[in-house]
Amino acid sequence: DAKTTQPTSMDCAEGRAANLPCNHSTISGNEYVYWYRQIHSQGPQYIIHGLKNNETNEMASLIITEDRKSSTLILPHATLRDTAVYYCIYGGTSYGKLTFGQGTILTVHP
Amino acid sequence: NAGVMQNPRHLVRRRGQEARLRCSPMKGHSHVYWYRQLPEEGLKFMVYLQKENIIDESGMPKERFSAEFPKEGPSILRIQQVVRGDSAAYFCASSPGQSNQPQHFGDGTRLSIL
């Protein structure tokens, strides 16, 4: 199973940028990095994915290191509603299972 | 989580009964995945289906659990003779099946066994 390493928990002040790191040193050359989050007991919500280049969408930015062994998810202006568990995943997600680790519990405080 | 529809949202069964969980994928998606989240644990993959085919069932318990995705209609996860340990949230995801396109999840079915 694809294995990633993330901090157990992080805090962020409302309005500030939240930077969530992820190590994926065993990723192979054609595997994408995907980020999801789960708010309370809702279903996981897709955030963003990328292969080599940095990516940005309306929710977040994804920075992938040149050697692709790690990445950082950036929420540019965190709000209280961004409090959630954030999961970093890589692998053949479209053609098979997603392997969820423990993720990072992000707490955004006023 | 707009698009992937799961029902019921909550299901209560007594031990020994059958539970049927339904999942309608997003429009245009032909691949369906089921995951289970036990209380205070992470999500675990159960099964991956395409229309009328099971592609990967490596995460399915060997007994009492089955899944289908018929040509017409929703995907069904069926649990026979439920036990207390089956109490969990069951999530369905779908994808278009094209390379690297992400899976999108429904809001889940919370199954409680009395």
Side-chain angles (χ1 to χ4, degrees), chain A residues 16-82:
Chain A
R16 305 297 292 269
N19 298 297
L20 289 82
C22 177
N23 288 323
H24 33 79
S25 58
T26 57
I27 194 170
S28 64
N30 61 349
E31 291 179 316
Y32 279 59
V33 177
Y34 298 78
W35 283 82
Y36 286 80
R37 71 182 183 184
Q38 188 173 25
I39 297 174
H40 193 47
S41 57
Q42 297 177 17
Q45 180 186 24
Y46 164 76
I47 301 173
I48 198 167
H49 72 290
L51 181 64
K52 294 180 181 178
N53 300 320
N54 299 337
E55 301 288 343
T56 295
N57 63 20
E58 66 278 5
M59 290 183 66
S61 294
L62 175 61
I63 309 297
I64 302 173
T65 57
E66 191 169 346
D67 63 7
R68 302 207 331 115
K69 293 184 184 300
S70 65
S71 62
T72 300
L73 178 74
I74 301 172
L75 306 178
H77 305 287
T79 71
L80 299 179
R81 288 175 294 181
D82 291 322

Side-chain angles (χ1 to χ4, degrees), chain A residues 96-107:
Chain A
K97 61 185 179 184
L98 287 169
T99 301
F100 286 84
Q102 293 305 306
T104 295
I105 301 171
L106 175 68
T107 302

Side-chain angles (χ1 to χ4, degrees), chain A residues 30-32 34 36 38 40-46 49 87 91-102, chain B residues 1 31 33 35 37 42-45 48 56 58 91 95 97-108 110:
Chain A
N30 61 349
E31 291 179 316
Y32 279 59
Y34 298 78
Y36 286 80
Q38 188 173 25
H40 193 47
S41 57
Q42 297 177 17
Q45 180 186 24
Y46 164 76
H49 72 290
Y87 297 100
T93 64
S94 279
Y95 291 100
K97 61 185 179 184
L98 287 169
T99 301
F100 286 84
Q102 293 305 306
Chain B
N1 296 321
H31 295 229
Y33 313 79
Y35 295 81
Q37 188 169 32
L43 289 98
K44 302 293 185 186
F45 167 81
Y48 162 36
D56 180 359
S58 59
F91 293 100
S95 76
Q98 296 160 353
S99 179
N100 304 311
Q101 291 303 301
Q103 297 176 26
H104 293 270
F105 285 77
D107 280 334
R110 272 76 182 166

Side-chain angles (χ1 to χ4, degrees), chain B residues 45-80:
Chain B
F45 167 81
M46 299 181 74
V47 63
Y48 162 36
L49 310 102
Q50 295 179 25
K51 285 286 187 181
E52 299 183 283
N53 289 303
I54 296 175
I55 307 302
D56 180 359
E57 55 182 350
S58 59
M60 287 279 272
K62 294 291 184 279
E63 298 178 347
R64 303 186 297 108
F65 285 71
S66 62
E68 63 176 5
F69 188 17
K71 186 177 181 180
E72 301 292 336
S75 176
I76 305 291
L77 179 67
R78 181 184 180 202
I79 311 172
Q80 295 178 289

